[in-house]
Each structure stands twice: as C-alpha cells, then as structure tokens.
Amino acid sequence: MNLFFRYDTNMKIETQYTYEKMWAITNEAELLRIIEEEIGDADPKGALAYVKEAIKTGKTISVGSCKFREKK
C-alpha cells in the first residue's frame, strides 16, 4: 500500500528541543538533519512527510527530544 502525503511547500515549520524555551523556524534541510539525528537509520524523509501532514491539523508532533509545529 502506498501512502502519499500532500503538503504546502510554503509551510513554515517551527522546532523546539525539550531543553529550549523558544520555537525556531527551521528550513527543510535542517528538519531532515534533526529527524535523522533523532531516529537514526529509519527513513527521515518519510518521517518528515508524516510530521508535515500531522501538523497541518494544528497538532504539535514530537520526534525524540524535538517538537515540531506549523507556524500560523
């Protein structure tokens, strides 16, 4: 079964590690690096696609010690 995620390419994603107090807007390359750091050998592009789809509904998603949300 193939899952295809559609998301806005202009979406701004903010990240925050558990030890940080402020959210930061993060670019796509940095998002992939963060996710790869947190999940290791798993598929970072697939995880990023899932995060982008999930945060569209206003949720905050955690991957390891980093949280992701869409900037409104």
Side-chain angles (χ1 to χ4, degrees), residues 15-60:
T15 58
Q16 179 188 47
Y17 282 98
T18 55
Y19 54 84
E20 296 176 327
K21 293 185 180 195
M22 297 188 64
W23 289 86
I25 295 176
T26 310
N27 66 37
E28 181 106 4
E30 188 68 11
L31 290 169
L32 283 170
R33 186 196 61 76
I34 291 169
I35 291 172
E36 188 172 21
E37 241 176 42
E38 296 295 325
I39 64 175
D41 291 336
D43 178 23
K45 288 182 181 180
L48 180 57
Y50 169 77
V51 167
K52 286 181 175 182
E53 187 66 25
I55 64 174
K56 284 185 355 184
T57 62
K59 293 180 182 179
T60 298

Side-chain angles (χ1 to χ4, degrees), residues 1-7 49 53:
M1 180 170 141
N2 289 330
L3 296 175
F4 293 98
F5 295 100
R6 293 183 183 164
Y7 51 87
E53 187 66 25

